[in-house]
Amino acid sequence: MKLILLGPPGVGKGTQANRLKTYFNILHFSTGHILREEVKSESEIGRKAQIYLDGGKLVPDSILLEMMAQRLSQKDCMPGYLLDGFPRTIPQAEGLNQILDQIQHNLNAVVSLTADEEELINRLVLRGIDSGRSDDTPEIILRRQKIYWDQTAPLINYYQKSGLVKEVNGIGEIPEITERIIKVLK
Ligand code: AMP
């Protein structure tokens, strides 16, 4: 099972991804998490990415594409994976298509989790109080929402053309949302 999980910041992509990876026994790649680890370990990617992460801005496409091309071509990815937070822009989606062609992988679905924007902002402000994430402040939360609607939401249309999109209501209890996702994937 090879999946992309799309949805605005705060919709619960990370939570659902963790549950889905167990259910389908696949790898989970959160590019936000990977980038935060790179920053922590002060790697070359981390040094390049930090300024964008701290400002709630998108890290350049070239960095993401190189990072994901390397990761996805490793053998352990063959059975399946779930991409959480990638792609985030049309050029990333186009780059990902090329990578997948090269390694002969086919996507099974793009799950689009939906929710009301106001609800999301409230959730993120609450998460920011105890997450310790440098990008969970109200100002940056608003910026990250805007970037989502401007740059990432167009991916829904992009993937709709290949008939891959499965829309799922992201509001409700966590297990209930997982069930909805599993149901549309069957
Ligand atoms: P997330 O944990 O998915 O909310 O991502 C946190 C931050 O990591 C984002 O605000 C970006 O700075 C960066 N990031 C994660 N994934 C990507 C991506 N696909 N493209 C560009 N920047 C990304």
Side-chain angles (χ1 to χ4, degrees):
M1 183 69 86
K2 300 186 177 77
L3 301 172
I4 292 175
L5 196 53
L6 272 183
V11 76
K13 288 192 301 291
T15 306
Q16 292 303 327
N18 272 316
R19 297 171 61 85
L20 293 167
K21 79 164 187 215
T22 310
Y23 183 87
F24 289 113
N25 195 20
I26 53 178
L27 298 170
H28 167 208
F29 297 126
S30 152
T31 46
H33 177 79
I34 297 172
L35 288 167
R36 284 190 289 278
E37 291 297 311
E38 297 280 354
V39 170
K40 255 194 233 159
S41 67
E42 298 181 7
S43 69
E44 200 188 327
I45 290 181
R47 279 197 296 275
K48 287 187 196 154
Q50 180 160 23
I51 184 168
Y52 302 97
L53 274 138
D54 286 347
K57 294 187 181 149
L58 292 183
V59 174
D61 294 335
S62 56
I63 296 181
L64 268 293
L65 285 169
E66 202 183 314
M67 194 173 93
M68 294 311 287
Q70 274 186 21
R71 188 61 192 91
L72 293 175
S73 51
Q74 288 171 30
K75 256 209 191 117
D76 60 346
C77 288
M78 299 250 285
Y81 42 80
L82 196 162
L83 303 179
D84 157 16
F86 174 82
R88 274 259 224 310
T89 64
I90 297 281
Q92 285 183 21
E94 286 170 343
L96 175 63
N97 270 345
Q98 283 178 9
I99 295 169
L100 296 178
D101 275 353
Q102 269 166 17
I103 56 180
Q104 296 179 319
H105 288 191
N106 285 317
L107 286 175
N108 295 87
V110 175
V111 175
S112 165
L113 280 178
T114 60
D116 178 71
E117 196 175 347
E118 215 168 291
E119 159 116 18
L120 295 174
I121 293 171
N122 289 338
R123 275 200 212 176
L124 282 171
V125 171
L126 285 177
R127 181 173 88 182
I129 295 169
D130 49 24
S131 76
R133 268 177 62 165
S134 57
D135 58 356
D136 268 349
T137 65
E139 188 200 340
I140 294 180
I141 286 167
L142 287 177
R143 178 185 294 158
R144 289 168 58 221
Q145 290 289 332
K146 183 169 167 16
I147 291 176
Y148 176 82
W149 296 110
D150 290 349
Q151 300 202 51
T152 308
L155 294 182
I156 300 171
N157 218 340
Y158 176 87
Y159 283 114
Q160 242 148 11
K161 290 180 191 138
S162 25
L164 287 170
V165 177
K166 310 275 181 200
E167 241 179 52
V168 175
N169 176 3
I171 300 293
E173 296 296 322
I174 291 170
E176 185 188 346
I177 300 168
T178 313
E179 301 248 312
R180 285 181 203 148
I181 299 174
I182 292 169
K183 200 167 151 203
V184 296
L185 291 175
K186 277 190 172 160

